[in-house]
Structures are given as structure tokens and as C-alpha cells.
Amino acid sequence: MFLGWEALMQCVPDVYIDSMGYAFTLPLFKYVGGCRVGSYVHYPTISTDMFSVVKNQNAGFNNAGFITRNPFLSKVKLIYYYWFGFMYGLAGSCSDVVMVNSSWTLAHILSLWKAGNCTSIVYPPCDVQTFLDLPLHEKKKTPGHLLVSIGQFRPEKNHPLQIRAFAKLLNKKGAESLPSLKLVLIGGCRNKDDELRVNQLRKLSEDLGVQDHVEFKINIPFEELKKYLSEATIGLHTMWNEHFGIGIVECMAAGTIILAHKSGGPKLDIVVPYEGDVTGFLAESEEGYADMMAQILSMSAEKRLQIRKSARASVLRFSDQEFEVTFLLSVEKLFK
């Protein structure tokens, strides 16, 4: 709100659109600045899922163990969450136009902001063409199969689940059933906490005895990322309730068979059948991921190629061009 006030002192616009998640600036610009206001919500600041995590005293990256073990602290946090959720809903309901990036975000925003008459889904722009230009074929430059993961090394991405599931897969296959496998975790490190997280992941792979099959690629150039995606058989994603998942779209556009978490945007919007054909796979547990990886790797090259083609065709709805059309249609009423 301070930032919004500073902006208003510089210039009072006719139209204000928040795409950063600063919901509490909306009433400021509407009622003080007299603007028509819109918002594009990528991820709700608070969600009903967060209420459930605290209410059920489940530990997580945003619900510390010392709170989950203390009923009083859990109750205090839940009261705060309900109060914040109420205030967040009041602020968001000031929007004349609300755009959300996925069906998962839509459900939470409708629940909290209660502005269904002016809310619509506008999928975020994905540079799919860059990846669609990669040749589509059964990638066999090297023996064996490459599995890749794309995502910043943040706790919510749940990279440990990928390594544990991969270790289960290696234990399942024994000595004869599948060719050699390699998991490459590609991502960005923002700070020392992320670097520490990568070191912990390296230690986990050593503890599980799979360090020779796991590689980490930190802050690599875009061209190198494209090269890995062009050679990979499977793209892994393990974040619970990912709001959308641009990295998943990029994997599918590149021709990599995606195996994502059975929740959020991947489940509702991205890894869904296209014209009746399979575009990818979903899992939740270590065992589920390991079983699904084994299933994908045991498919014939022709079957995998068919899935890749369907996945590629399906991601055109997330292109830059499609975003331009749906965004302009959604904000049109702000300019009338």
C-alpha cells in the first residue's frame, strides 16, 4: 500500500492493472485514485489449501514444525490466516476485471474474492515456439534414457521426491529390464539458501546410492537447457498444487514426456487429454512416480512418439499469441 501510494503521488492513471499480486493496492487506486482497476492473479497470496494445512496441523515448507506441534500456536495462526483471507478477499473484490492463470487459481480466487461475474482464466504466455522448433524424434544419440527436472531449487518444488522416486525406479529395474538411466536436475539458485538446498540434494542422492546417476545443472544458459530437453525422454515435476507450470508446458513443447504432480494447474489445465489422446502422466507418491517412470520407459518408441505429438499439439493454447488475444478480450471493459 505504501508502494501504491508512492506511485499515485507520481501519476494517477485512468486504468490500473496489478499483475504482481499486490491486492491491497486495488482499493487504494480505485477509491483514492478513482481508477478503473484490474488484476491478473498468478498465485493467491493466501489460499483455502493453506487454511487446511494449518487446521490439520500438517508440517510443510510454509508451516513450521514447532507450530504444528503446538495446538495453541496452530490456532493463533489459523485465526490470523482467516483474518488475512477475509481482508484479502475484500481488497480483491474491488477489481473491475479479474484474470487468473489457471483453473486451480480460479477456484481459490472465486472462493476468496467472490467476484465471479468479472473473473476469467487467461493462461500465461509461454514461449512454446522456441521449443516446437526442436526436431521431434525418438532421441537415441546416447544409450539409455535421460530424465530431466526444470525448476528453481526452492523447497516447494520438492526435488527430494524426484530423487527418492528415481532411486526406487533404479531398485525396481534390477540388472536387466531397462537401459542405463540418468536424472538431471536443472534449475536456478537465487541465494545461499538455494545453494545449501542443492548440497542437501547431493547428499540425499549419495545416501540413496544413486549419485552416479544424478547430475545437477545450476543456472545454465538457455541453449543448454534446450539441448537437454531435446535429448530427454521424461520431464519430471513434483510440486504440489503448482498454480500453473510453465516449465511443464516447455517440456511438452520440446517433445519430452511429462510426469507431473497430480494437483493444481498440471492436473486441471495442462496434462489433460487432447482430442482424446494422452499428453502426459500424473503421480503423487514416490511409489507412484517410480511406477509411472517405469511404465513410460517400457513403452515402444512409437507409443512415446505418439504421446509427444499430442502433447505438442495441446500446448499451442498456451502460446504468446493466444495470451495476447485472451488478455485483450478480458481487459476490454476497463477501457470503455
Side-chain angles (χ1 to χ4, degrees):
M1 292 179 75
F2 280 116
L3 179 65
W5 180 258
E6 182 184 353
L8 274 176
M9 292 301 97
Q10 298 293 322
C11 174
V12 179
D14 297 307
V15 175
Y16 170 70
I17 300 176
D18 164 49
S19 62
M20 291 293 291
Y22 300 154
F24 291 96
T25 62
L26 296 170
L28 184 69
F29 275 83
K30 183 166 187 173
Y31 298 117
V32 178
C35 312
R36 291 185 293 278
V37 299
S39 53
Y40 185 23
V41 184
H42 298 275
Y43 198 89
T45 306
I46 193 165
S47 69
T48 51
D49 289 333
M50 292 165 69
F51 297 159
S52 300
V53 167
V54 178
K55 190 173 185 178
N56 298 328
Q57 295 181 251
N58 296 329
F61 69 91
N62 60 355
N63 196 33
F66 75 91
I67 293 178
T68 63
R69 292 189 293 270
N70 188 313
F72 174 74
L73 290 179
S74 290
K75 190 162 293 258
V76 169
K77 185 171 183 179
L78 188 61
I79 291 170
Y80 164 69
Y81 267 21
Y82 277 122
W83 171 81
F84 186 87
F86 174 73
M87 298 300 292
Y88 179 62
L90 282 181
S93 65
C94 296
S95 285
D96 299 307
V97 165
V98 181
M99 296 166 284
V100 297
N101 68 340
S102 69
S103 299
W104 181 87
T105 307
L106 174 68
H108 287 288
I109 289 300
L110 289 178
S111 173
L112 292 163
W113 291 15
K114 305 191 187 314
N117 60 325
C118 62
T119 304
S120 61
I121 296 176
V122 177
Y123 292 126
C126 304
D127 185 14
V128 296
Q129 193 57 53
T130 299
F131 295 96
L132 290 173
D133 289 339
L134 295 172
L136 189 63
H137 52 76
E138 182 66 10
K139 312 150 186 188
K140 281 289 128 248
K141 289 182 181 177
T142 57
H145 291 281
L146 184 65
L147 295 78
V148 298
S149 161
I150 305 174
Q152 284 186 333
F153 288 100
R154 306 201 311 258
E156 63 268 29
K157 295 298 184 180
N158 201 359
H159 290 95
L161 175 56
Q162 298 174 8
I163 295 174
R164 292 194 192 99
F166 183 65
K168 278 189 182 294
L169 173 66
L170 292 178
N171 291 332
K172 277 176 180 292
K173 81 181 189 76
E176 72 293 328
S177 59
L178 288 172
S180 63
L181 304 176
K182 176 154 284 191
L183 171 63
V184 179
L185 288 83
I186 303 170
C189 279
R190 303 161 297 173
N191 48 41
K192 292 209 176 293
D193 286 342
D194 286 355
E195 291 171 7
L196 175 62
R197 202 165 288 118
V198 171
N199 289 334
Q200 291 171 340
L201 292 171
R202 292 186 199 275
K203 177 71 165 54
L204 175 62
S205 64
E206 291 171 6
D207 292 342
L208 295 172
V210 296
Q211 67 273 18
D212 293 338
H213 300 272
V214 178
E215 284 186 20
F216 294 85
K217 296 294 179 179
I218 317 298
N219 300 329
I220 63 174
F222 184 65
E223 288 303 315
E224 190 176 349
L225 167 66
K226 284 171 60 178
K227 180 176 181 295
Y228 275 109
L229 286 181
S230 71
E231 296 174 358
T233 301
I234 297 176
L236 280 182
H237 172 276
T238 46
M239 179 177 169
W240 172 70
N241 271 348
E242 172 80 84
H243 49 299
F244 181 70
I246 290 178
I248 296 170
V249 173
E250 290 174 345
C251 282
M252 293 167 70
T256 300
I257 296 180
I258 195 70
L259 173 54
H261 198 279
K262 194 176 182 179
S263 63
K267 176 185 177 182
L268 298 173
D269 294 303
I270 304 176
V271 191
V272 295
Y274 177 74
E275 296 184 351
D277 294 325
V278 173
T279 59
F281 300 90
L282 301 167
E284 293 176 279
S285 63
E286 290 176 30
E287 195 71 31
Y289 271 94
D291 287 344
M292 195 56 71
M293 283 188 280
Q295 180 180 325
I296 295 168
L297 294 170
S298 64
M299 290 177 180
S300 66
E302 292 75 18
K303 177 64 175 175
R304 284 197 291 264
L305 188 59
Q306 180 184 342
I307 294 171
R308 289 189 172 105
K309 287 179 178 177
S310 298
R312 274 196 157 183
S314 75
V315 299
L316 291 174
R317 60 206 164 104
F318 305 126
S319 67
D320 291 338
Q321 295 80 5
E322 191 68 24
F323 168 79
E324 289 177 11
V325 171
T326 53
F327 180 85
L328 290 174
L329 282 173
S330 296
V331 301
E332 191 175 16
K333 68 180 288 187
L334 293 176
F335 299 91
K336 289 182 178 177

